[in-house]
Amino acid sequence: MRAKDRSRGRDEHDDVPYEPWSQIVPGLWMGGHEYVGADGNWTMAIVTDEFDAVYSLHYRQGYGPADRVDHHVLEVPDDVLSASQIRAVDDFVATVERDYAAGRRILVRCRAGMNRSGLVVAEVLIRSGLSAEEAVATIRRRRASGALNNEYFVAYLETGLDLAAQLTALGTGD
């Protein structure tokens, strides 16, 4: 995944986010701590008070949100997850889902707003009635075509987080 580098004449790639956050469905936004700015360079995405609650799967000091905004943090890698990490994501999703159902403006973010945030937002969409395929397609259409390119995360969504955690734990004692 490369961003457009206008200074070197590289081709533009449409698979990265070109805005700090994207509304996936009304009231539910997906974003990152970085996005590709108009100049083609990675740019800081600093949240202030645009949202009622921010759910971060990656944390960086100085990127917000404002003190009066609810902020929840769960650090997970953009990689294969352990059973305990999948369960933690499942619990995190339940909290996002409650705030979303209550009509709050929600931002779910990770580093670039592509995979970890996509996993959580897609699971909220699935719990709202979409199939895994529809949820992934919606995110790719609304955020970036390269969103949810982590094949493990897509498999977790297709399997269901609870079953994915159970299967991952087999033989590991996790």
Side-chain angles (χ1 to χ4, degrees), residues 25-169:
V25 294
L28 184 59
W29 298 72
M30 181 174 150
H33 286 71
E34 301 174 341
Y35 67 100
V36 177
D39 63 0
N41 294 312
W42 285 97
T43 303
M44 294 172 62
I46 299 175
V47 180
T48 57
D49 60 358
E50 300 90 341
F51 303 96
D52 299 316
V54 175
Y55 288 83
S56 299
L57 293 127
H58 172 76
Y59 178 75
R60 286 190 187 166
Q61 185 73 28
Y63 283 73
D67 289 339
R68 64 188 167 279
V69 175
D70 290 341
H71 189 207
H72 309 269
V73 178
L74 173 66
E75 290 272 357
V76 293
D78 183 3
D79 203 346
V80 176
L81 300 180
S82 68
S84 61
Q85 289 170 324
I86 296 170
R87 286 188 205 97
V89 168
D90 194 31
D91 291 342
F92 201 66
V93 169
T95 306
V96 174
E97 185 180 28
R98 277 192 301 274
D99 275 350
Y100 175 63
R104 301 185 80 201
R105 287 177 47 94
I106 307 297
L107 171 64
V108 180
R109 67 180 179 169
C110 54
R111 189 187 65 77
M114 300 279 286
N115 282 311
R116 290 169 282 190
S117 58
L119 175 63
V120 170
V121 170
E123 183 63 20
V124 170
L125 296 176
I126 291 166
R127 293 179 185 191
S128 298
L130 295 183
S131 69
E133 182 179 301
E134 291 167 330
V136 171
T138 299
I139 287 168
R140 288 178 177 161
R141 187 172 56 254
R142 302 275 168 83
R143 178 66 180 153
S145 62
L148 280 170
N149 60 56
N150 180 321
E151 63 189 39
Y152 300 108
F153 288 5
V154 173
Y156 301 152
L157 293 165
E158 291 170 342
T159 303
L161 294 182
D162 184 53
L163 182 55
Q166 291 176 45
L167 292 170
T168 301

Side-chain angles (χ1 to χ4, degrees), residues 2 11-18 140 143-147:
R2 291 183 304 160
D11 295 330
E12 183 172 353
H13 295 275
D14 292 329
D15 63 344
V16 298
Y18 285 89
R140 288 178 177 161
R143 178 66 180 153
S145 62

